[in-house]
Amino acid sequence: MGLLALLRKLKSSQERELRILLLGLDNAGKTTLLKSLASEDISHITPTQGFNIKTVQSSGFRLNVWDIGGQRKIRPYWKNYYENTDVLIYVIDCADQKRFEETSVELSELLDEEKLAGVPLLVYANKQDLLGAATANEIAEGLKLEHISDRKWQIQPCSATQSEGVKEGMEWVLSNMNQKKSSKK
């Protein structure tokens, strides 16, 4: 079942537009994840030098996913994309343990941003298919996710290249958006 089928399953009476911000360090797998969500070919992916935007429409939902490059020189520009974000998706390369501290600092700074206050957080613990990859539980402990109390959050183990765990993460996102919509009625 692809993303479109998921969205159809969670249909709503009126179309809802969601702005999703997809961030993480360079080479974490953000673009691969985005292409996997859109059921696109992932065999030729190059590093994102700026940003990619994908819009997926289905009955009840219009997802605008902003995939922003994660290179060190691009990260200061992330702040230009925070406004009106409905969901923050943060992708971590679980096989690149040398960069865990760096990714932890970046995520911590994102969570302190006023414009992202209260925005639900989905962390994709990516590259679970690689030898030596840290588990989602190890990542959650290292990032101290259990201390987050100002927003809903979820960590989802995945392999974007294998399309494993990607759908489950989006189900969490859409479920939270449905709950948020229900509570506003």
Side-chain angles (χ1 to χ4, degrees):
M1 178 184 329
L3 180 59
L4 290 175
L6 268 174
L7 293 173
R8 284 187 192 101
K9 193 168 116 181
L10 295 169
K11 63 174 124 167
S12 130
S13 60
Q14 94 192 103
E15 186 162 298
R16 173 110 193 260
E17 189 164 326
L18 298 177
R19 188 171 191 283
I20 298 175
L21 189 55
L22 181 62
L23 299 176
L25 301 185
D26 51 304
N27 202 36
K30 298 177 299 299
T31 303
T32 304
L33 190 105
L34 178 58
K35 286 184 174 262
S36 178
L37 286 172
S39 300
E40 293 181 8
D41 179 28
I42 60 170
S43 60
H44 296 86
I45 295 181
T46 57
T48 304
Q49 296 301 315
F51 60 89
N52 296 307
I53 305 170
K54 295 265 184 230
T55 300
V56 180
Q57 293 184 18
S58 183
S59 52
F61 289 95
R62 178 184 167 126
L63 300 179
N64 297 311
V65 183
W66 292 70
D67 164 24
I68 314 299
Q71 295 88 342
R72 192 179 304 271
K73 66 183 181 196
I74 295 176
R75 289 181 221 154
Y77 299 102
W78 285 358
K79 65 181 176 241
N80 297 322
Y81 300 91
Y82 297 162
E83 197 80 36
N84 300 317
T85 296
D86 293 305
V87 177
L88 173 61
I89 297 178
Y90 194 79
V91 183
I92 296 176
D93 177 348
C94 293
D96 191 358
Q97 297 190 20
K98 293 179 203 155
R99 298 185 77 192
F100 284 175
E101 184 175 338
E102 182 182 2
T103 199
S104 178
V105 167
E106 291 296 339
L107 179 58
S108 180
E109 288 176 8
L110 285 169
L111 296 178
D112 287 340
E113 285 292 335
E114 188 175 318
K115 289 182 180 176
L116 294 174
V119 171
L121 169 69
L122 171 62
V123 176
Y124 273 115
N126 193 23
K127 303 190 183 181
Q128 291 293 307
D129 56 315
L130 299 181
L131 195 60
T135 66
N137 286 339
E138 291 168 334
I139 296 294
E141 283 179 29
L143 295 175
K144 298 179 175 51
L145 294 179
E146 70 276 1
H147 296 296
I148 296 175
S149 60
D150 65 336
R151 70 190 72 224
K152 290 183 179 187
W153 64 269
Q154 173 75 14
I155 187 161
Q156 177 63 49
C158 76
S159 168
T161 59
Q162 307 296 316
S163 293
E164 294 173 0
V166 176
K167 175 184 77 166
E168 291 81 358
M170 286 310 294
E171 285 174 345
W172 179 84
V173 166
L174 296 173
S175 171
N176 274 291
M177 292 301 107
N178 273 335
Q179 289 173 7
K180 191 175 181 181
K181 186 176 179 180
S182 298
S183 66
K184 288 185 177 180
K185 288 182 179 179

